[in-house]
């Protein structure tokens, strides 16, 4: 269980996985009465670079820039340096030691999250890459190293959030994608393999949840956010 004081309207980070700046702005307008945290990822960034990021920030909202930097340490450091004065709150890097160390040198006020294991990966994907650990052990192993190197937090599925919180303590920021409202958590009809509800993710240790399609494909995104916030509140109330 985590005890950080985070406003309810900053718990859910809406993943703006849309193809154009106009669609992204429309989505922000439909969500902003309920949440003020938005994630810009590869698809949207390639379509608009910083235009949408700056537009969201100018409306007084927060941005997580999810470009998952992965390159030689010096290149990652220089990329983080470009970012650290742009007003973005969170950015993602891959969680290998040398990359984290280099990125931390350049981060300034920017908080950095290390990707542990993508939430679309299951045990069989790890086997296919020649890895023998379980997903949970690998997530914990990589998160422990990231924290040791001074990284602010990790991206991790809700299924591992509880163990991360219990083993690594309160300092670690845990951001959890792979959130589903309910039904498909049970039926498995999804490309995300390690999925969980928003309420359960936060109740068991996540600070923020990242939610894309359940919100962006909904007829009424604000209503879905409100329902998830209710779920989060009851999760936190225990
Ligand atoms: O649509 P959905 O809710 O599955 O979107 C999840 C978002 O979280 C996507 O933007 C995806 O890139 C991102 N993400 C993830 N797993 C990670 C890191 C980020 O699913 N480990």
């Amino acid at each position: 269980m985590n005890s950080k004081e985070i406003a309810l309207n900053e718990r859910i980070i809406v993943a703006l996985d849309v193809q154009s700046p106009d669609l992204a702005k429309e989505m922000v307008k439909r969500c902003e009465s309920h949440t003020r945290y938005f994630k810009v990822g590869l698809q949207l960034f390639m379509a608009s670079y910083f235009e949408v990021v700056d537009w969201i920030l100018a409306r007084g909202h927060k941005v997580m820039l999810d470009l998952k930097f992965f390159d030689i340490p010096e290149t990652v450091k220089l990329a983080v340096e470009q970012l650290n004065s742009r007003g973005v709150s969170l950015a993602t890097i891959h969680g290998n030691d040398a990359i984290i160390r280099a990125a931390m040198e350049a981060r300034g006020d920017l908080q950095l999250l290390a990707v542990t294991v993508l939430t679309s990966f299951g045990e069989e994907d790890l086997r296919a890459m020649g890895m023998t650990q379980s997903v949970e052990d690998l997530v914990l192993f990589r998160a422990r190293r990231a924290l040791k190197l001074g990284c602010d937090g990790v991206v991790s599925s809700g299924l591992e959030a509880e163990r991360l919180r219990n083993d690594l303590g309160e300092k670690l920021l845990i951001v959890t994608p792979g959130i589903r409202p309910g039904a498909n958590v049970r039926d498995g009809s999804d490309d995300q393999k390690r999925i969980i509800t928003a309420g359960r993710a936060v109740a068991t240790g996540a600070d923020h949840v990242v939610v894309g399609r359940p919100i962006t494909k909904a007829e009424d995104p604000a209503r879905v956010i409100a329902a998830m916030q209710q779920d989060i509140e009851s999760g936190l109330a225990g």
Side-chain angles (χ1 to χ4, degrees), residues 15 17 39 41 64 66 68 115-120 155-156 177-180 190-192 210-214 216:
D17 295 329
K39 181 171 91 73
M64 168 178 170
D66 184 22
K68 299 187 183 69
V115 175
T116 54
V117 178
L118 290 174
T119 43
S120 61
V155 182
S156 136
I179 299 296
R180 293 297 177 263
D190 207 295
D191 63 342
Q192 294 278 21
V210 170
V211 191
R213 288 160 291 180
T216 56

Side-chain angles (χ1 to χ4, degrees), residues 13-17 37-46 48-54 56-57 62-69 79-80 82-94 110-115 155 175 210:
I13 303 176
V14 178
L16 297 171
D17 295 329
Y37 220 142
F38 297 91
K39 181 171 91 73
V40 174
L42 288 168
Q43 182 190 22
L44 181 58
F45 194 76
M46 295 316 289
S48 71
Y49 303 107
F50 280 100
E51 185 208 323
V52 170
V53 171
D54 292 342
I56 296 169
L57 294 172
K62 290 188 166 185
V63 170
M64 168 178 170
L65 190 59
D66 184 22
L67 303 178
K68 299 187 183 69
F69 293 149
V80 170
Q82 293 284 345
L83 252 192
N84 75 10
S85 55
R86 302 218 55 136
V88 167
S89 298
L90 282 175
T92 49
I93 55 176
H94 276 273
L110 180 66
Q111 288 202 298
L112 290 178
L113 298 175
V115 175
V155 182
V175 176
V210 170

